[in-house]
Amino acid sequence: MASTGANRRRGGGDGRERGAAQVRDVIHRVLVVDDDDLLREVAKVSLEMVGGWDVLTAGSGSEACAVALEERPDALLLDVMMPGMDGPSTVVALRGDPATRDIPVIFLTAKVGGDGRQEWSHLGVAGVIAKPFDPMSLPAEVAQLLGW
Amino acid sequence: MGPVPTDDGPEDALQAVVRALGASARESNLARTGVLEEALAALDAGALSGELRECAVSAAHQVVGSAGTFGKHRSSALAAELEQWFREVAPPGPDPARLGWARGRLGELRADLASDHQDDV
């Protein structure tokens, strides 16, 4: 992945309480994409409060592509089933642009009948997190999948 | 909505945010059950269109993810059953017993969503 300059080192000794997901002293920037406003918000707050990361949001696949191109986040947490451009279509679009092709993507899905890992393996996603998700452990799951 | 300020740690603050957002989620999810009711009525009348069926699948799918995230795990499980049921139902529709089963599940879903309890947050 190209360096985006998105990560920042946390200043030492600031006394700020840290969540379990903050296994390294780096602030990552994550783009959360979901058409459900409330789920998008709770994921954002979870990653910010517990993970300690910077979070961008988008409510659709097309908006996600635009934000990803503009902001170059370190990773996307992407809903699968959305109206219009769904999650897999969004990944295909991201992979088609040299500027966004290497951004890791994690699918977030309530898909019934399996978690879709086989179905989506050709897309090269970093992992799949099931909905409903636990806001308390979401940052740790993301960090584990991305090796953060 | 911004973070809820508290003197506690980030996990406690997050729980407060989840509870606050959960009230709005309950209303959204109850509204989504209206789509399921409409689809069941159309099915009962032998008039379920492909479009309405897809709307029902989508509405149930949204409840699965939303309700469980906000602590309504029973609602999430019921919605998952209904999502799968609508995916598999085919014209001219199920027999009365299967339709009754779906109506029962929808009633349980509405009651659970409307209740104040949360399985956990």
Side-chain angles (χ1 to χ4, degrees):
Chain A
M1 173 179 174
S3 174
T4 64
N7 292 346
R8 304 195 303 270
R9 291 276 171 193
R10 220 182 257 290
D14 62 2
R16 182 173 172 179
E17 190 165 353
R18 301 170 60 184
Q22 290 179 239
V23 294
R24 293 179 187 172
D25 201 21
V26 173
I27 300 178
H28 297 286
R29 191 158 59 155
V30 180
L31 173 56
V32 174
V33 188
D34 200 306
D35 62 312
D36 186 312
D37 294 348
L38 297 170
L39 283 182
R40 195 169 65 242
E41 181 66 15
V42 77
K44 175 180 186 291
V45 174
S46 165
L47 298 179
E48 287 176 341
M49 283 185 167
V50 180
W53 303 327
D54 289 338
V55 181
L56 307 162
T57 61
S60 68
S62 57
E63 185 184 359
C65 290
V67 173
L69 186 60
E70 177 72 20
E71 301 288 342
R72 314 291 178 87
D74 299 307
L76 266 75
L77 190 57
L78 178 61
D79 186 23
V80 170
M81 192 168 166
M82 296 185 289
M85 183 185 282
D86 64 9
S89 300
T90 303
V91 174
V92 170
L94 291 168
R95 298 292 185 250
D97 188 326
T100 58
R101 67 189 308 165
D102 295 324
I103 299 175
V105 173
I106 295 172
F107 275 148
L108 191 60
T109 181
K111 187 177 174 66
V112 172
D115 59 15
R117 283 184 172 83
Q118 291 295 322
E119 180 182 344
W120 303 316
S121 60
H122 68 287
L123 295 173
V125 296
V128 178
I129 293 176
K131 285 185 185 176
F133 61 86
D134 178 359
M136 304 303 155
S137 61
L138 180 64
E141 290 185 72
V142 171
Q144 183 178 27
L145 287 169
L146 296 175
W148 287 356
Chain B
M1 173 176 180
V4 175
T6 76
D7 293 331
D8 301 319
E11 286 83 3
D12 294 323
L14 176 58
Q15 284 190 336
V17 171
V18 172
R19 288 195 185 93
L21 292 173
S24 298
R26 177 167 72 171
E27 298 308 313
S28 296
N29 288 327
L30 281 169
R32 286 164 177 152
T33 65
V35 177
L36 304 182
E37 177 62 38
E38 183 183 353
L40 283 178
L43 195 56
D44 198 20
L48 179 64
S49 66
E51 183 181 5
L52 182 53
R53 178 171 165 274
E54 284 304 309
C55 285
V57 168
S58 179
H61 182 85
Q62 288 180 302
V63 175
V64 173
S66 175
T69 297
F70 290 102
K72 293 277 191 178
H73 297 292
R74 172 70 176 153
S75 292
S76 182
L78 289 164
E81 288 185 59
L82 286 165
E83 179 187 354
Q84 190 65 30
W85 190 85
F86 274 110
R87 284 186 189 280
E88 294 172 352
V89 73
D95 60 47
R98 292 287 296 159
L99 195 58
W101 178 89
R103 286 194 188 286
R105 281 292 189 270
L106 179 55
E108 287 183 58
L109 174 58
R110 279 183 161 156
D112 193 72
L113 285 171
S115 70
D116 288 330
H117 90 277
Q118 287 185 314
D119 300 320
D120 60 53
V121 173

